[in-house]
Amino acid sequence: MGSMYKDEQDDWVTVCLKYLLFVFNFLFWMGGGVVMGVGIWTLVDKGEYLSLLASSTFAVSAYILILAGGLVMVTGFLGCCAVIREQRSCLSTYFSCLLLIFIIELVAGVLAYVYYQALSEELKQHLSKTMTENYAQPGKESITQSVDRLQQDFKCCGSNNSFDWMHSAYIITSPETEKRLVPDSCCKTMTRLCGKRDHPSNIYKVEGGCITKLEQFLADHLLIIGAVGIGVACLQLIGAVLTACFIYLLYKEEEEDFSDV
């Protein structure tokens, strides 16, 4: 009688765990879409600014999230199939995939956090040099477009302030200047040759310049990348534990069936 009750209890636990895993995998699949969306949004929303950064860590973190998101969606679907079929081999493969994706997303989160710590110093050292030496120079069209968009989007002028442009190759040597004091993208209302007048009523005068604006912008997105990566990674640990328990219960059932024979 006790043995029969124990078998029924084990069956009940197995069924509950099975449905719990199925629900988890559905949420996991949706989470994969969110992770991939954050990665794509990061690259699309800030794609033009990447040429202004000295390192590729920011872009790498976003690409890792896209890869992990895609793997999560595929793995979530395979996990649902494995749970329904109750095959230990499929579940073991699913468990291995969970651990692999966990490591990938954890790396993305850590990269985002590490880069967040070094972001301020990189921008101070690199952005000013990039803007003053490469703006409107031959072969640097992508940087020129990025700087113009940066100044218009963030309503700023110069890396630290508008006076930075006085020492730039664009103002000193470029024939395209036409007596401009700052690029036209510094103007509140951007028109051709509006950069000839650098009065605060005409151009953006922001304390801290574009460095402060871009630093805050990238920092906010790096926090999102890190939080999403580490958050989903922790969720996967729960899934891995549930899967391991389910595999163990299936193994026990197979052993009991074999002993009965």
Side-chain angles (χ1 to χ4, degrees):
M1 182 71 179
S3 177
M4 185 180 298
Y5 174 75
K6 188 176 183 302
D7 288 342
E8 289 178 357
Q9 189 178 38
D10 287 344
D11 289 342
W12 179 81
V13 172
T14 302
V15 170
C16 286
L17 195 55
K18 176 179 178 179
Y19 283 108
L20 186 61
L21 261 176
F22 188 83
V23 172
F24 170 82
N25 277 294
F26 177 72
L27 295 175
F28 190 51
W29 180 82
M30 292 180 65
V34 172
V35 170
M36 182 183 288
V38 168
I40 293 172
W41 165 67
T42 298
L43 290 177
V44 170
D45 198 32
K46 287 158 293 302
E48 288 193 24
Y49 303 143
L50 296 181
S51 61
L52 302 177
L53 303 178
S55 72
S56 58
T57 310
F58 184 83
V60 168
S61 298
Y63 282 121
I64 289 176
L65 273 189
I66 294 173
L67 171 64
L71 288 174
V72 164
M73 294 187 74
V74 173
T75 303
F77 175 75
L78 293 177
C80 288
C81 295
V83 170
I84 292 172
R85 298 180 68 178
E86 297 186 9
Q87 290 186 343
R88 281 201 300 129
S89 58
C90 293
L91 286 167
S92 298
T93 302
Y94 170 65
F95 179 79
S96 301
C97 289
L98 279 180
L99 291 181
L100 175 62
I101 298 171
F102 168 77
I103 294 171
I104 291 174
E105 291 188 332
L106 201 59
V107 167
V110 170
L111 278 176
Y113 178 77
V114 170
Y115 188 60
Y116 174 76
Q117 301 298 312
L119 179 61
S120 178
E121 194 60 33
E122 177 184 324
L123 288 176
K124 288 175 183 176
Q125 291 181 356
H126 187 74
L127 185 60
S128 179
K129 182 179 179 181
T130 299
M131 292 175 73
T132 55
E133 294 183 6
N134 298 323
Y135 183 82
Q137 300 305 300
K140 304 293 183 180
E141 289 78 12
S142 63
I143 291 179
T144 302
Q145 292 174 3
S146 297
V147 170
D148 283 339
R149 183 183 172 186
L150 175 70
Q151 296 192 138
Q152 281 291 297
D153 286 354
F154 294 115
K155 296 178 172 53
C156 58
C157 183
S159 54
N160 295 291
N161 53 61
S162 60
F163 297 112
D164 290 341
W165 287 111
M166 294 174 61
H167 311 291
S168 68
Y170 171 65
I171 297 298
I172 296 172
T173 63
S174 178
E176 299 177 9
T177 304
E178 299 181 53
K179 297 183 179 180
R180 289 180 178 88
L181 300 175
V182 294
D184 292 340
S185 56
C186 281
C187 299
K188 295 179 179 179
T189 302
M190 188 174 167
T191 56
R192 177 172 161 72
L193 299 179
C194 65
K196 284 185 174 183
R197 183 169 171 266
D198 63 352
H199 192 272
S201 63
N202 184 53
I203 68 171
Y204 296 113
K205 295 277 189 176
V206 180
E207 186 176 348
C210 293
I211 286 179
T212 303
K213 292 278 192 175
L214 184 59
E215 180 183 352
Q216 185 60 52
F217 182 70
L218 293 178
D220 290 343
H221 284 77
L222 282 170
L223 285 175
I224 293 173
I225 290 175
V228 169
I230 293 175
V232 174
C234 292
L235 185 65
Q236 285 169 242
L237 277 182
I238 298 173
V241 171
L242 291 175
T243 304
C245 292
F246 192 53
I247 292 173
Y248 174 72
L249 287 174
L250 291 178
Y251 177 74
K252 276 184 64 179
E253 286 182 2
E254 288 178 9
E255 274 196 332
E256 289 171 1
D257 290 344
F258 181 77
S259 62
D260 290 341
V261 175

